[in-house]
Amino acid sequence: MPPHHTLPDAPRWAALLTGWRRDPTAPTLQGRLTSTLQTLISTGQLSPGERLPAERPLAALLGLSRNTVAQALDDLAASGWVTRRVGSGTHVSGSAPRTAPVLTLRTPVSPAPHPTRTSLTELDFTIAVPLLTEPQRQRLREATLDAFQESLYHPLGLPDLRACIAELYATQGVPTTPEQIIVTTGAQQAIALTATTLLRRGDHALLESPTFFGAIDVIRATGATLTGVPITPHGVNPDTFITLARTHAPRLAFLTPTYQNPTGTVLPAHARARLAAFIHDTHLPTIEDDTLTDLSFDPHDHPRRPPPRLSAHAPHAPIINVGSLSKLYWAGLRVGWMRVPPTLTAPLTQAKTLADFGSSHPAQHAALQLLQNLPTLRQERRDAITPARDHLAHLLRTHLPDWTFTTPHGGQFLWVQLPTPTASAYTHHAARHGLRLFPGASMGVEPLPDQYLRLPFTLHPDHIPEAVTRLSRAWAEFTSRGSDRLA
């Protein structure tokens, strides 16, 4: 097994150092690490006075020898980027060149490199997006033909699209008027607009842990303090949520009751009813993330279908439902929406208008045509993703039997637990096998064991066997690695 040297906040350092081996400016691993750390300091991702990891834990994370890491840090010290003192460690120098500080995003947004003749084509497990068929592409082209008939601004969305979305909520047990719908540029904009409107620096926000990294990022960016509610096998425990809410007095909560990202859990009906009543009685603004609601693997009349939304239990509570077509149809469409309670309509309407005067007309026309045939979209997605889920799960259980997970009944992910707390280091090692992976602990609001991977089953079906082969090969090499085999 690789040596277990604990690195505080290993997922953050795994994210910061993603792709460091590909730095083209240095011929050696030592030089590439030095160059990458210089870049992190100069771009504000590492702040003056911030402590860098100790040599042994950083070496273990990156699959290097301690000597290689020590030489890289010595080079940084010699050129004034860091200070190194025995007993106090290595810190970013106060005089190092830098720009304004920036957050270390949890969202894996770094672009994939272009393959070379000698490199493997990367298989990306960091982002889960649907794959379009040619008939679906043609449907999109045809759906935008009417998009160029007018040149008006619609800051809150096309009226017909708002009416269509309102009707969908109403038929699913959530009374909604078109005036309550705000069309956004993807669900991420809806979450960001809500967070920046309702939160101020020093406020508290309550989120599931683990949860969607995009929500963590935008809420952290407001300066709010995040508190995590642990996810159980059945989702959030209402008693825990209520206790934490009473303790911290949050100004915003974020919940994904149906096919929770990343665990795939489904909150039972009785828990939804209790949470909805509490949210109603305490007037706690709460985002209910609906983006995965339509991704069930069971038929519509199956007894295992998820219960009604939180907002169905309390339609007048301050619950902001957020939806999107990115997971159901195509991420490139960038059409999302909010169902906004009347008490929050004015501030969120203003926020969207100030943000961009309205989302793309062609994309909204396409969304309107697609949503008018929602049952077909659901069935097509179910037919495409169910075999992929089953194939990936079977191959993982066959080739990596010490990795454990529960096969979800909906959503897009397997939440995989590794037998050792070395997931962040493994993601770096797997990159050498042409895999992009995301350490699950990066999705924790509170610290999570560095023992999880989020594996979407949205790869092209033809690539899944090769992906598992690489995962298995990388894991075997990683777990057999000793200090004498490190670079």
Side-chain angles (χ1 to χ4, degrees):
M1 298 297 292
H4 287 195
H5 299 295
T6 302
L7 173 60
D9 203 4
R12 175 181 178 243
W13 285 98
L16 281 170
L17 294 167
T18 295
W20 71 275
R21 287 177 180 267
R22 297 193 294 261
D23 188 335
T25 63
T28 66
L29 293 177
Q30 174 192 329
R32 292 171 190 170
L33 180 57
T34 300
S35 175
T36 300
L37 290 170
Q38 284 179 345
T39 300
L40 293 174
I41 295 169
S42 66
T43 57
Q45 296 180 77
L46 295 178
S47 302
E50 182 170 352
R51 184 169 183 167
L52 273 63
E55 295 167 6
R56 288 186 186 276
L58 185 56
L61 175 72
L62 301 179
L64 297 173
S65 69
R66 180 184 178 184
N67 186 55
T68 300
V69 171
Q71 290 176 354
L73 296 177
D74 286 343
D75 286 349
L76 289 170
S79 52
W81 291 90
V82 302
T83 60
R84 281 165 64 75
R85 292 184 179 87
V86 176
S88 61
T90 303
H91 295 77
V92 177
S93 172
S95 60
R98 65 184 186 277
T99 58
V102 296
L103 288 174
T104 303
L105 296 182
R106 308 291 183 91
T107 308
V109 293
S110 57
H114 292 292
T116 65
R117 290 182 180 179
T118 59
S119 69
L120 292 170
T121 299
E122 272 200 329
L123 299 176
D124 192 347
F125 274 113
T126 63
I127 298 293
V129 293
L131 301 173
L132 288 178
T133 63
E134 185 51 40
Q136 289 172 329
R137 293 188 187 96
Q138 182 59 30
R139 191 184 305 165
L140 281 176
R141 287 188 284 266
E142 293 172 355
T144 61
L145 294 178
D146 294 332
F148 310 101
Q149 302 301 315
E150 63 175 8
S151 299
L152 299 175
Y153 288 121
H154 293 288
L156 307 182
L158 294 178
D160 288 349
L161 179 57
R162 297 173 71 197
C164 176
I165 295 170
E167 183 179 357
L168 289 174
Y169 275 106
T171 58
Q172 295 169 18
V174 186
T176 305
T177 66
E179 291 72 26
Q180 290 179 261
I181 300 299
I182 300 174
V183 178
T184 58
T185 306
Q188 182 68 10
Q189 187 188 48
I191 297 169
L193 291 175
T194 303
T196 55
T197 300
L198 300 182
L199 291 173
R200 298 290 179 268
R201 184 169 297 278
D203 287 344
H204 283 261
L206 202 56
L207 298 84
E208 303 153 322
S209 185
T211 193
F212 172 48
F213 40 68
I216 295 175
D217 282 341
V218 297
I219 294 174
R220 286 171 62 224
T222 68
T225 299
L226 280 63
T227 299
V229 187
I231 289 290
T232 75
H234 302 289
V236 162
N237 183 317
D239 291 334
T240 305
F241 181 94
I242 291 169
T243 297
L244 289 171
R246 287 173 173 162
T247 300
H248 298 285
R251 307 291 294 185
L252 180 66
F254 179 87
L255 296 170
T256 310
T258 303
Y259 308 132
Q260 198 266 348
N261 179 4
T263 64
T265 58
V266 176
L267 193 67
H270 65 86
R272 296 179 189 227
R274 184 145 185 250
L275 283 175
F278 177 80
I279 291 166
H280 177 274
D281 295 343
T282 58
H283 309 286
L284 170 59
T286 300
I287 297 174
E288 181 176 12
D289 187 348
D290 290 341
T291 55
L292 298 171
T293 298
D294 290 309
L295 300 185
S296 172
F297 301 124
D298 299 317
H300 182 69
D301 57 352
H302 196 283
R304 203 166 49 206
R305 294 281 296 185
R309 294 176 171 87
L310 290 176
S311 52
H313 291 279
H316 301 294
I319 297 173
I320 303 103
N321 289 89
V322 170
S324 168
L325 281 169
S326 294
K327 302 295 187 285
L328 181 63
Y329 199 76
W330 184 47
L333 200 57
R334 306 312 304 145
V335 172
W337 55 83
M338 294 186 276
R339 177 201 177 267
V340 181
T343 54
L344 295 174
T345 299
L348 290 175
T349 293
Q350 176 177 279
K352 171 59 178 173
T353 303
L354 293 174
D356 60 9
F357 289 151
S359 300
S360 160
H361 275 209
Q364 290 187 75
H365 275 274
L368 176 61
Q369 296 297 318
L370 294 171
L371 287 173
Q372 288 172 340
N373 198 8
L374 185 57
T376 298
L377 299 191
R378 290 172 176 155
Q379 187 61 51
E380 288 178 348
R381 189 80 173 108
R382 186 182 303 128
D383 290 346
I385 203 168
T386 304
R389 175 204 62 173
D390 294 343
H391 194 31
L392 178 60
H394 169 73
L395 291 175
L396 288 175
R397 289 192 169 109
T398 299
H399 297 286
L400 290 156
D402 53 348
W403 291 16
T404 58
F405 56 89
T406 299
T407 304
H409 298 295
Q412 299 190 120
F413 316 105
L414 299 180
W415 183 239
V416 177
Q417 183 173 3
L418 307 186
T420 58
T422 54
S424 293
Y426 173 65
T427 62
H428 276 269
H429 186 78
R432 295 149 76 174
H433 291 258
L435 292 167
R436 298 187 82 201
L437 298 174
F438 187 73
S442 291
M443 305 184 78
V445 178
E446 305 292 342
L448 290 177
D450 191 20
Q451 204 164 346
Y452 294 93
L453 296 175
R454 189 193 75 159
L455 298 182
F457 32 85
T458 52
L459 285 179
H460 192 286
D462 293 345
H463 297 162
I464 289 177
E466 173 62 20
V468 175
T469 296
R470 294 187 194 182
L471 287 168
S472 179
R473 187 184 301 128
W475 181 248
E477 186 178 289
F478 176 75
T479 53
S480 65
R481 191 183 66 192
S483 58
D484 59 320
R485 296 180 56 139
L486 298 177

